[in-house]
């Protein structure tokens, strides 16, 4: 636990005149699940995109396994193979079946043989409980199933870290549970995860640490207990109070079904 | 007399089809390259592609055909009327095919590119394996329209002396004094060709449609 698997140092993102976030310092240890919470527009999603280099930063560094991946001439494609990402709107490849969605990275990026890739992809689909949907196209799957295929697609690359960008925000309430269930299982399997979400129940039960971000900086971070029951900062308290009020009802329904 | 009449014009049909089969794929390749440059190229390449499209689409095809024909059949290229005419027609069509493909590329959306990059694909891999297979599907219906246009516009090469359907119809009209029969036959052949092609492409579009419900 001495060396973090992922670390950002003074990471900064600016769009024109707008500072999206500034001087973000974040350490993620191997096997940890870190949940980032905070109001909309505080740069949480952009932070994830900066970490896997989908968006350029305006300052600071990102380290993966002690290597600076933001260094000039560092192979971006290699970085992204090691950092899996799950998006709010799933972004499955629409022209491919569930199985092919999971296979294509193995075939084209990892250059696996077709047989090996198929086997690996089926394992990953099994892991998210969708082996019986392997030959379905995204258009034939529910939102929850699509998101689970997207998780399998990212997992297939054997990433060091998984990034989740509001993975349940686009889902109907009754489909959220199945996706959170898969994520909770991953956390139990000690996958290193960085999750942006508004699902406070998930944060409380699954996170090792919660990071509260507002207006482009980290306001407070700590264990779920510390943040939910003994927040040091007034803003953290206000935000958590508001959001549990808002989502409280839905969570009760989920914990009943989970 | 009628059998020679028809066999003469049928030979022209073969040439019309040949002109189209050269012009269309050539225009598709050039149009696709330009569409990719316009969508994914840098600032400068992007403008060159935009200018290419604007210029070619802003001038009547027959005028371009003459200009390109005289360039391609000049000493430096020295192409026969058939090849010069077919390539010219392909270049004119490429601008329209470029716009069709550009629209399709944009319709696929940025998200697919982001997702492909997130898996570790390079931009080229993403375009090849993720973007193009989807864009080409979307492009079939508007492309089918462009195919009809190229088929019909292939009659323009008659002005360059290529003995295709219209050229032969004109000759027959002059020698037999039967303009209605000559041009009517030409019209009927064009119609059948366009109709059959559109039907075939409708079928292709239907076959490649992605399933949406189980």
């Amino acid at each position: 636990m001495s060396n973090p698997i992922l670390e950002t140092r003074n990471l900064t993102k600016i769009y024109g005149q707008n500072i999206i976030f500034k001087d973000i310092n974040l350490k993620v240890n191997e096997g940890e699940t870190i949940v980032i919470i905070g109001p909309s527009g505080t740069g949480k999603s952009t932070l994830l995109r900066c970490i896997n280099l989908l968006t350029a930063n305006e300052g600071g560094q990102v380290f993966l396994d002690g290597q600076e991946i933001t260094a000039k001439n560092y192979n971006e494609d290699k970085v992204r193979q090691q950092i899996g990402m799950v998006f709010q709107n799933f972004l499955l490849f629409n022209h491919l079946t569930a199985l092919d969605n999971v296979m294509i990275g193995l075939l084209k990026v990892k250059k696996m043989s077709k047989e090996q890739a198929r086997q690996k992809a089926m394992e990953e689909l099994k892991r998210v409980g969708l082996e019986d949907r392997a030959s379905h196209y995204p258009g034939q799957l529910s939102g929850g199933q699509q998101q689970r295929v997207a998780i399998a697609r990212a997992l297939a690359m054997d990433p060091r870290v998984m990034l989740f960008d509001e993975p349940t925000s686009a889902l109907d309430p009754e489909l959220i549970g199945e996706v959170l269930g898969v994520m909770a299982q991953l956390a139990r399997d000690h996958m290193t995860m960085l999750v942006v979400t508004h699902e406070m129940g998930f944060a409380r039960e699954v996170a090792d640490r919660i990071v509260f971000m507002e207006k482009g900086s980290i306001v407070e971070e700590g264990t779920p207990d510390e943040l939910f029951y003994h927040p040091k900062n007034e803003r953290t308290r206000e935000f958590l109070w508001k959001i549990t009020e808002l989502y409280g009802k839905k969570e009760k329904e989920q914990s009943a079904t989970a | 007399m009628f059998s020679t009449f028809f066999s003469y014009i049928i030979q022209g049909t073969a040439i019309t089809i040949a002109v189209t089969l050269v012009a269309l794929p050539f225009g598709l390749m050039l149009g696709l390259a330009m569409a990719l440059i316009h969508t994914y190229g840098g600032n400068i390449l992007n403008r060159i592609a935009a200018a290419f499209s604007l210029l070619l689409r802003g001038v009547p095809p027959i005028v371009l055909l003459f200009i390109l024909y005289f360039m391609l059949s000049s000493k430096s290229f020295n192409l026969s009327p058939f090849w010069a005419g077919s390539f010219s027609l392909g270049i004119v069509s490429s601008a329209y095919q470029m716009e069709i493909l550009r629209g399709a590329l944009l319709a696929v959306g940025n998200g697919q590119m982001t997702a492909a990059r997130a898996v570790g694909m390079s931009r080229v891999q993403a375009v090849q394996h993720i973007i193009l297979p989807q864009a080409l599907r979307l492009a079939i219906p508007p492309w089918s329209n462009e195919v009809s246009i190229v088929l019909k516009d292939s009659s323009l090469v008659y002005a360059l002396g290529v003995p295709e359907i219209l050229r032969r119809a004109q000759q027959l009209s002059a020698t037999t004094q039967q303009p209605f029969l000559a041009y009517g036959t030409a019209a009927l052949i064009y119609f059948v060709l366009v109709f059959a092609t559109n039907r075939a492409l409708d079928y292709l579009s239907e076959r490649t449609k992605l399933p949406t419900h189980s």
Side-chain angles (χ1 to χ4, degrees):
Chain A
M1 286 280 166
S2 53
N3 285 325
I5 190 167
L6 184 76
E7 183 180 359
T8 70
R9 281 187 210 155
N10 300 322
L11 197 60
T12 301
K13 176 72 197 174
I14 301 166
Y15 273 126
Q17 301 284 342
N18 292 333
I19 296 172
I20 308 299
F21 53 77
K22 198 166 187 286
D23 293 331
I24 298 289
N25 292 297
L26 196 66
K27 281 184 186 172
V28 186
N29 294 314
E30 181 140 29
E32 246 186 340
T33 298
I34 293 190
V35 170
I36 304 176
I37 59 172
S40 303
T42 43
K44 306 183 299 288
S45 297
T46 313
L47 177 62
L48 293 189
R49 281 164 177 263
C50 273
I51 287 174
N52 75 347
L53 312 181
L54 282 173
T55 300
N57 64 62
E58 266 69 45
Q61 299 158 297
V62 181
F63 294 85
L64 181 69
D65 280 323
Q67 296 245 42
E68 194 199 334
I69 58 177
T70 40
K72 277 212 169 76
N73 301 327
Y74 203 89
N75 187 338
E76 289 183 16
D77 299 335
K78 278 266 151 50
V79 169
R80 295 199 199 93
Q81 290 174 41
Q82 297 173 62
I83 304 181
M85 184 148 185
V86 174
F87 301 90
Q88 183 175 351
N89 44 353
F90 329 136
L91 298 180
L92 287 184
F93 305 132
N94 294 314
H95 63 304
L96 299 176
T97 62
L99 183 68
D100 287 334
N101 260 279
V102 184
M103 273 174 73
I104 194 149
L106 300 172
L107 290 174
K108 306 300 176 190
V109 179
K110 291 217 158 176
K111 313 279 182 201
M112 269 189 190
S113 75
K114 218 165 181 178
E115 208 32 63
Q116 262 183 309
R118 175 184 300 274
Q119 208 174 352
K120 171 89 174 147
M122 273 315 279
E123 273 168 33
E124 298 301 343
L125 281 178
K126 227 172 261 171
R127 198 156 152 190
V128 298
L130 286 173
E131 67 270 37
D132 57 334
R133 291 285 184 277
S135 59
H136 284 55
Y137 283 87
Q140 299 171 302
L141 298 170
S142 73
Q145 291 171 336
Q146 287 189 52
Q147 192 60 300
R148 281 148 68 198
V149 173
I151 293 173
R153 174 176 72 183
L155 286 175
M157 303 301 287
D158 287 327
R160 302 282 286 133
V161 182
M162 286 278 285
L163 308 178
F164 292 85
D165 182 11
E166 301 201 27
T168 57
S169 295
L171 292 174
D172 289 339
E174 75 268 25
L175 302 176
I176 291 175
E178 60 186 79
V179 173
L180 292 182
V182 167
M183 290 167 63
Q185 185 57 49
L186 282 179
R188 282 195 289 274
D189 295 343
H190 302 294
M191 170 58 76
T192 311
M193 305 202 288
L194 195 52
V195 184
V196 171
T197 186
H198 293 295
E199 296 295 330
M200 290 304 137
F202 177 84
R204 195 157 41 198
E205 276 152 41
V206 181
D208 296 300
R209 269 186 299 143
I210 299 179
V211 174
F212 174 57
M213 252 179 100
E214 191 182 46
K215 292 184 185 137
S217 36
I218 293 177
V219 176
E220 189 171 349
E221 63 172 289
T223 64
D225 268 1
E226 284 167 353
L227 254 80
F228 275 96
Y229 303 114
H230 317 286
K232 293 190 195 84
N233 193 292
E234 187 52 37
R235 277 299 301 144
T236 317
R237 196 194 315 266
E238 258 174 58
F239 176 78
L240 282 172
W241 186 82
K242 239 191 274 174
I243 204 148
T244 32
E245 181 85 340
L246 201 66
Y247 285 83
K249 224 175 160 188
K250 203 165 72 186
E251 271 173 23
K252 263 181 215 151
E253 286 164 16
Q254 272 161 28
S255 53
T257 55
Chain B
M1 182 215 145
F2 272 116
S3 72
T4 47
F5 181 99
F6 285 116
S7 78
Y8 188 65
I9 214 162
I10 291 290
Q11 285 166 32
T13 308
I15 293 176
T16 289
I17 292 172
V19 168
T20 309
L21 285 181
V22 173
L24 204 60
F26 180 67
L28 178 62
M29 289 305 149
L30 189 58
L32 181 59
M34 285 295 179
L36 289 171
I37 286 172
H38 195 295
T39 314
Y40 300 109
N43 232 332
I44 296 166
L45 285 173
N46 179 346
R47 278 184 202 178
I48 293 172
F52 173 85
S53 161
L54 204 64
L55 217 64
L56 287 186
R57 290 183 303 127
V59 179
I62 186 84
V63 177
L64 284 171
L65 213 59
F66 278 124
I67 295 172
L68 291 166
Y69 172 74
F70 285 114
M71 280 164 66
L72 292 174
S73 60
S74 70
K75 278 216 180 74
S76 39
F77 292 101
N78 199 20
L79 292 178
S80 69
F82 170 81
W83 288 105
S86 301
F87 282 133
S88 303
L89 200 62
I91 292 170
V92 173
S93 171
S94 75
Y96 295 90
Q97 298 196 53
M98 165 187 166
E99 292 302 324
I100 290 168
L101 292 163
R102 199 166 72 86
L105 288 171
L106 292 178
V108 170
N110 267 334
Q112 294 285 312
M113 174 61 93
T114 306
R117 299 305 303 277
V119 177
M121 287 190 196
S122 65
R123 270 164 78 88
V124 174
Q125 282 180 316
V127 169
Q128 183 187 350
H129 301 300
I130 305 301
I131 309 286
L132 272 183
Q134 295 182 60
L136 291 178
R137 277 184 172 87
L138 292 175
I140 294 172
W143 191 70
S144 164
N145 194 42
E146 177 62 18
V147 174
S148 334
I149 290 172
V150 173
L151 244 174
K152 290 181 283 182
D153 277 0
S154 72
S155 60
L156 297 176
V157 298
Y158 110 98
L160 313 176
V162 180
E164 43 68 75
I165 297 173
L166 183 60
R167 181 86 181 174
R168 286 172 190 244
Q170 194 193 29
Q171 289 165 348
L172 287 171
S173 161
T175 52
T176 62
Q177 301 294 318
Q178 302 263 20
F180 284 113
L181 185 64
Y183 290 120
T185 309
L188 185 69
I189 295 172
Y190 278 119
F191 179 81
V192 170
L193 287 178
V194 169
F195 183 79
T197 321
N198 280 350
R199 273 307 175 83
L201 284 168
D202 283 351
Y203 176 73
L204 181 68
S205 170
E206 208 52 50
R207 279 294 303 273
T208 54
K209 212 177 222 164
L210 295 168
T212 47
H213 42 75
S214 37

